[in-house]
Amino acid sequence: MCDKTEPKGCIISPGPGCCNFYLPHKRRHCKFPPPAGEKFCVQHLPTDNSGQSELKGMKRVVCPLDPNHSVYEYKLSSHLKKCNSKKSPNRPFYKDGVNSGSSKDGEPVSVSLSEVDVDFLKQLVDKIRQVYQIVEYIRLEERLEEHEALKEELVNELHQKCLKHRKQEASLLGNMERAGWLTDGTTFIEFGAGRARLTSYLLGTISNQRNSSVLLIDRGTTRNKSENKHKYVEGGPSFERLRIDIKDLMLEEHHVLKGVDRDIVAYSKHLCGSATDLTLRCLERVMRATSTEKAESKKPRLNQPHVKGIQIALCCHHKCTWTAYAGKEFWLEQQLTPDDFIITKTLSSWATCAFPDRNAEEHTAHADSDTLNRFSFWTSEERENIGLMSKRIIDIGREHHLKTLGYKTNLVIYVKKETSLENIMLVARPID
């Protein structure tokens, strides 16, 4: 279990009805409510030397699959069947870490910007700016689309609280239709599906396509899955949810795609950080298998699936890892190092949280004043631009990798910035 001791000099106190456990990496207390009469929530109850705790006579034990959480002892057997850390090595499309990527020197050590020499950081920003300026395909295309499937919800008062999500889903679905990808006989795959709201609208759109299929990929368990309302619709596409980490997925071995001449459209709404790179590596396995068969046979695409389109709404570049990153070749060609990548991904967070000068006082509870003062020579607008350039450089590396596989790529603005600060999607289709 984690250390429950607050750092010396901490000025943040737990909110009313919140757990007293302090989370150093989030610089705040846990927000889960504790049971009546307790100071800590059930996950952060004090434990004995064996890692066990007790609440009102009910013993909690550390999960044997993941020591970072606990469970009531009497629920352990049922919990082990559905724990998110459970691995399923018996499935034919499962292979541990098959899409994880590699790095001969391992993953660089993550550092805080407060630990980086200011002169070095200025030089790195100059490098990023130079690469950003010389790359010809940096211009972003704007495609703000709508779709008939969400027309009513966009004006329905009941959906106003979720309006920004409906606008994004409408544009993503509209862009897929504009690209001509919503055709019968296609396998649609949503990576990082979550509740799969986007796929639910897709299923409604292609409800008459008997030859299509849908796969939902997510590593966690999700309640209130949106695709459930399509379970008993007759005559529509088949769909299946796979609970698996993208890093372990051999897509080409799944029974829907194995040995089948079939188009694939891969899509996602806000695929965080390195999950985008894992997805590209997963799809690359299918791409390379198709390319090999084309080279060996006069009849292209014989009994092989084919990636017809990729549409990934990008976000959370600060969660990328060098090991998983798909654009290493491009990155190194620009005379940038793996250590530069670690700092650049951290700088990317400035695009959405650049510590505005007018709100500096509001951020002092979450960021050291020394850290803010170290970068005062850059205005808030300059810091935001540095963050945006950092994001795009990371994305350009991904584009470069797809180009080497024979795909045409674009970085597209799919919603206005007022709807979402993470408003860029990566689009790719084969060069015919």
Side-chain angles (χ1 to χ4, degrees):
M1 303 297 285
C2 302
D3 182 13
K4 296 175 177 58
T5 306
E6 296 182 7
K8 189 174 181 180
C10 175
I11 61 172
I12 308 173
S13 58
C18 291
C19 175
N20 281 269
F21 183 86
Y22 185 77
L23 303 168
H25 63 291
K26 293 187 176 180
R27 306 179 69 85
R28 64 167 174 79
H29 288 81
C30 170
K31 294 183 179 180
F32 281 8
E38 298 289 338
K39 291 184 177 181
F40 299 99
C41 69
V42 292
Q43 288 295 338
H44 298 134
L45 286 172
T47 60
D48 56 26
N49 293 333
S50 64
Q52 298 181 349
S53 60
E54 190 168 318
L55 177 64
K56 296 181 179 180
M58 295 186 291
K59 186 182 292 184
R60 291 187 67 87
V61 295
V62 173
C63 173
L65 299 178
D66 182 1
N68 290 321
H69 66 274
S70 61
V71 63
Y72 286 114
E73 187 176 41
Y74 75 94
K75 289 185 175 181
L76 181 60
S77 58
S78 61
H79 170 77
L80 292 177
K81 296 177 183 178
K82 58 185 179 182
C83 178
N84 286 344
S85 299
K86 179 183 177 182
K87 295 184 178 181
S88 303
N90 296 326
R91 293 183 288 182
F93 49 83
Y94 174 94
K95 185 175 181 180
D96 190 27
V98 67
N99 302 316
S100 295
S102 61
S103 175
K104 66 178 182 178
D105 297 322
E107 182 71 17
V109 177
S110 181
V111 294
S112 169
L113 290 180
S114 62
E115 301 171 358
V116 180
D117 179 74
V118 172
D119 292 331
F120 175 82
L121 191 61
K122 288 181 178 179
Q123 293 174 7
L124 177 58
V125 169
D126 288 339
K127 284 184 184 179
I128 293 172
R129 188 175 284 111
Q130 290 172 9
V131 175
Y132 185 87
Q133 291 172 347
I134 64 175
V135 176
E136 295 180 357
Y137 48 87
I138 191 63
R139 294 180 182 177
L140 302 176
E141 182 181 350
E142 188 174 80
R143 299 181 195 166
L144 309 179
E145 297 289 337
E146 294 182 353
H147 196 273
E148 190 69 24
L150 290 96
K151 189 175 181 179
E152 292 184 7
E153 294 198 11
L154 289 175
V155 295
N156 191 327
E157 292 184 0
L158 296 175
H159 293 276
Q160 292 307 300
K161 290 184 178 180
C162 309
L163 187 60
K164 67 176 184 178
H165 297 294
R166 302 294 87 83
K167 286 182 177 180
Q168 292 173 68
E169 290 152 357
S171 185
L172 290 170
L173 196 55
N175 273 284
M176 290 170 67
E177 187 169 63
R178 172 181 172 175
W181 291 344
L182 304 185
T183 55
D184 200 5
T186 301
T187 294
F188 300 93
I189 307 174
E190 181 174 9
F191 288 87
R195 290 178 59 191
R197 194 71 182 242
L198 177 57
T199 292
S200 178
Y201 295 122
L202 172 67
L203 285 168
T205 302
I206 62 173
S207 59
N208 61 341
Q209 295 185 9
R210 293 177 176 270
N211 299 316
S212 291
S213 58
V214 176
L215 292 178
L216 300 163
I217 313 298
D218 202 281
R219 66 181 180 181
T221 55
T222 306
R223 295 182 179 180
N224 303 318
K225 303 178 185 69
S226 296
E227 76 271 17
N228 284 345
K229 66 180 182 181
H230 301 276
K231 268 186 178 180
Y232 306 106
V233 176
E234 296 182 2
S238 62
F239 61 90
E240 179 182 357
R241 178 178 283 265
L242 302 181
R243 186 179 161 207
I244 187 172
D245 197 310
I246 302 171
K247 71 180 180 65
D248 304 323
L249 175 61
M250 293 194 296
L251 197 59
E252 70 279 10
E253 294 297 323
H254 190 273
H255 66 89
V256 171
L257 299 171
K258 188 173 183 180
V260 179
D261 180 3
R262 198 172 184 84
D263 286 330
I264 294 174
V265 172
Y267 61 98
S268 183
K269 175 178 177 280
H270 288 182
L271 197 57
C272 290
S274 58
T276 295
D277 299 295
L278 297 176
T279 296
L280 296 181
R281 291 183 180 280
C282 180
L283 294 171
E284 180 184 349
R285 298 173 60 83
V286 179
M287 296 174 188
R288 292 193 181 280
T290 305
S291 300
T292 301
E293 182 137 342
K294 280 185 177 181
E296 295 177 353
S297 173
K298 293 182 180 180
K299 296 181 179 180
R301 294 181 53 197
L302 180 63
N303 296 329
Q304 284 288 353
H306 172 72
V307 180
K308 180 171 71 172
I310 301 172
Q311 182 178 282
I312 299 174
L314 306 162
C315 78
C316 300
H317 293 70
H318 61 282
K319 290 190 175 183
C320 293
T321 64
W322 173 251
T323 301
Y325 183 49
K328 291 190 185 75
E329 182 180 353
F330 168 84
W331 191 267
L332 297 175
E333 285 177 356
Q334 309 309 311
Q335 306 302 311
L336 294 167
T337 68
D339 289 326
D340 292 337
F341 179 84
I342 297 301
I343 299 173
T344 302
K345 72 164 188 172
T346 306
L347 288 173
S348 71
S349 64
W350 285 2
T352 53
C353 184
F355 300 124
D357 301 322
R358 64 184 180 277
N359 294 329
E361 292 183 4
E362 298 178 14
H363 290 277
T364 54
H366 302 284
D368 296 334
S369 58
D370 291 342
T371 302
L372 295 176
N373 293 334
R374 293 182 82 228
F375 308 125
S376 59
F377 49 84
W378 284 317
T379 65
S380 173
E381 184 178 355
E382 287 173 331
R383 290 196 291 269
E384 183 177 350
N385 286 333
I386 290 170
L388 289 171
M389 286 190 294
S390 299
K391 282 178 175 286
R392 298 294 78 82
I393 295 300
I394 293 173
D395 292 336
I396 291 169
R398 291 163 168 166
E399 281 194 286
H400 180 273
H401 182 66
L402 286 169
K403 287 176 184 289
T404 64
L405 297 170
Y407 279 72
K408 178 183 178 182
T409 64
N410 297 95
L411 290 174
V412 177
I413 300 172
Y414 71 99
V415 289
K416 292 185 179 297
K417 195 174 181 179
E418 293 76 20
T419 302
S420 174
L421 293 175
E422 300 280 18
N423 64 338
I424 307 296
M425 66 178 180
L426 173 63
V427 180
R429 63 192 314 158
I431 300 174
D432 296 324

